[in-house]
Amino acid sequence: MQHRIVVLGAGYTGAIAAGRLAKRLRREDVAITLVNAEPDFVERVRMHQLAVGQELRPRSLREMFADTGVEVRLAKVTGVDVDRRTVAVTDPDHPGEDRELEYDTLVYALGSAWNHQGVPGTAEHAHEIAGRPGALRLRERLAGLDAGETVVVVGGGLTGLEAATEIAEARPDLDVSLAARGGLGDWLSPKGRRHLRKVFGTLGITAYENAAVTEVAADHVATADGATIPAAVTLWTAGFAVHPIARATTLNVTDTGRIVVDGTMRSVSHPDVYAIGDAAMAAGPGDKPLRMSCASGTPTAWQAADSIAARLTGGKLPNAPLRYFNQCISLGRREGLIQYVTADDRAVRAALTGRFAAVYKELVCKAAAWGVANPTLGVPARRRAVTRAEVRPAAV
């Protein structure tokens, strides 16, 4: 009987994990199913580009995984029963009707969505670019704005910086501003902060610093200090929230719903479940939790896939370090910022700026997409026989 591996979510981490497992294990020994609600792989790190009208290359999941041994199942995950080892899904051909998938090993990679943090008016009036649907809605709204209208980006993190600069460069006729809870780029090195301010000045972006947004209305945002910032369009980028399904299970999760895992990305409460990417509460250097990012998500996918393969084949468990090297920030199409960091993600003095940094970031984005289609990074892999699979009886 084949060992059934079900991977939930085909973002960067889920797609990499499924492809890597297919490269590591013999097809006759395993049945790998990749479940995703959309038919295409979405380059999430490019959503700010999509929002301003740039076209992204379509990447069909079924074409990507053709002849790999991975079955792509287009369906929406509606529930997980980790005690019965089943996943409830609804597929396009049977809307409103849940069907069950049984698994022996589950890889949970449902990722995250935007987090409006309960700020009044945000859900009703703000846009988000955490995924393709949100980016397309913002794209349509921006296209309808007249010259001189105002766009406010809320959130001074990487997503906010990239979105504000992309919009300002693509639409110089708009009045773009950014509201940050702290100082502009206050986590960057002095060189990084100087360059960021220079680019903001060149693009005409107004930075509202130490401005925590407390309310979003149809035509403005309000801040904690009583200020009102006009906004024909508000883009909310102030953090992400994980998919709520894990919280509804008996898995050990944090108060934010992230699945607690060990160093192999295995759930500490359910050894047949692995969590990767934004869904996992994994520790990096100094036991510091990894932030939600592609930079940390991809290594967790490698770690989980190799750990599953090792346990099924009797091989040696991997011990790859989960660490950071740099933060890559696009500031429009012509400017960029590469901030080098310590292993635990603290900025150091060194940083790349300008056109070279923009090219660097573009190469990183292309490499990330290439890595999804080439999960072993082009290194030939030997498929090994499953020797330790423990298959439970079908769910009842």
Side-chain angles (χ1 to χ4, degrees):
M1 182 181 294
Q2 289 180 309
H3 187 87
R4 300 160 298 183
I5 302 175
V6 174
V7 182
L8 304 183
Y12 288 98
T13 59
I16 288 172
R20 199 170 176 98
L21 283 165
K23 292 280 191 178
R24 297 277 189 253
L25 301 169
R26 294 198 316 183
R27 294 187 187 184
E28 58 265 38
D29 294 340
V30 294
I32 303 171
T33 303
L34 176 61
V35 182
N36 200 60
E38 296 186 54
D40 295 328
F41 168 71
V42 176
E43 291 185 83
R44 192 176 182 185
V45 296
R46 294 190 187 273
M47 290 300 96
H48 55 287
Q49 296 175 237
L50 184 64
V52 300
Q54 297 171 36
E55 297 298 333
L56 303 183
R57 172 188 168 190
R59 300 173 185 271
S60 166
L61 289 171
R62 283 185 169 149
E63 290 180 8
M64 185 180 295
F65 287 99
D67 300 321
T68 65
V70 175
E71 176 193 357
V72 176
R73 176 76 177 267
L74 297 182
K76 179 182 179 181
V77 179
T78 58
V80 176
D81 188 330
V82 293
D83 300 311
R84 294 178 59 241
R85 287 186 173 184
T86 61
V87 177
V89 301
T90 300
D91 61 51
D93 295 331
H94 301 85
E97 178 185 338
D98 277 354
R99 299 191 168 199
E100 280 193 344
L101 300 177
E102 298 178 5
Y103 67 83
D104 300 304
T105 297
L106 180 71
V107 181
Y108 188 103
L110 290 180
S112 62
W114 74 308
N115 184 4
H116 57 69
Q117 300 177 347
V119 174
T122 305
E124 296 82 4
H125 301 297
H127 287 265
E128 50 86 13
I129 55 172
R132 182 180 176 85
L136 289 174
R137 285 191 293 269
L138 177 60
R139 176 178 180 158
E140 182 179 4
R141 182 70 180 96
L142 290 175
L145 292 181
D146 295 326
E149 292 199 80
T150 54
V151 176
V152 175
V153 178
V154 179
L158 303 185
T159 304
L161 297 180
E162 293 195 328
T165 51
E166 199 75 49
I167 294 170
E169 181 184 270
R171 291 291 305 273
D173 59 319
L174 299 178
D175 182 359
V176 180
S177 61
L178 180 141
R181 180 178 292 273
L184 182 63
D186 55 6
W187 75 94
L188 298 169
S189 66
K191 180 180 179 180
R193 291 196 299 271
R194 287 193 301 270
H195 185 69
L196 180 60
R197 290 185 182 278
K198 175 185 174 183
V199 173
F200 264 50
T202 300
L203 294 175
I205 303 170
T206 301
Y208 293 92
E209 301 180 75
N210 303 306
V213 172
T214 56
E215 182 183 5
V216 177
D219 61 354
H220 70 273
V221 300
T223 63
D225 59 3
T228 297
I229 306 173
V233 171
T234 298
L235 171 58
W236 189 271
T237 69
F240 297 94
V242 297
H243 199 290
I245 283 181
R247 192 194 294 271
T249 70
T250 56
L251 288 164
N252 186 335
V253 300
T254 67
D255 56 359
T256 60
R258 300 176 78 181
I259 300 171
V260 182
V261 297
D262 62 18
T264 66
M265 302 300 112
R266 195 183 204 180
S267 164
V268 298
S269 61
H270 291 72
D272 47 10
V273 176
Y274 291 73
I276 54 180
D278 292 354
M281 177 52 73
D287 289 329
K288 182 178 178 180
L290 297 175
R291 60 179 167 86
M292 296 182 184
S293 68
C294 185
S296 56
T298 296
T300 66
W302 295 337
Q303 187 86 327
D306 291 353
S307 296
I308 293 168
R311 288 189 168 109
L312 291 178
T313 63
K316 182 179 179 181
L317 284 172
N319 188 28
L322 301 175
R323 56 154 297 162
Y324 296 94
F325 296 94
N326 52 41
Q327 295 178 5
C328 303
I329 312 169
S330 63
L331 302 173
R333 296 298 88 204
R334 295 184 292 272
E335 285 280 358
L337 170 60
I338 309 300
Q339 176 63 66
Y340 292 101
V341 298
T342 59
D344 63 351
D345 209 27
R346 291 175 289 115
V348 298
R349 291 173 60 88
L352 295 177
T353 61
R355 179 62 181 168
F356 184 78
V359 173
Y360 188 114
K361 172 62 189 292
E362 177 62 20
L363 291 175
V364 168
C365 291
K366 288 182 176 179
W370 179 86
V372 172
N374 299 272
T376 58
L377 304 181
V379 178
R382 175 186 172 189
R383 292 185 174 91
R384 297 183 179 276
V386 171
T387 59
R388 297 186 178 184
E390 296 179 3
V391 181
R392 289 187 180 180
V396 295

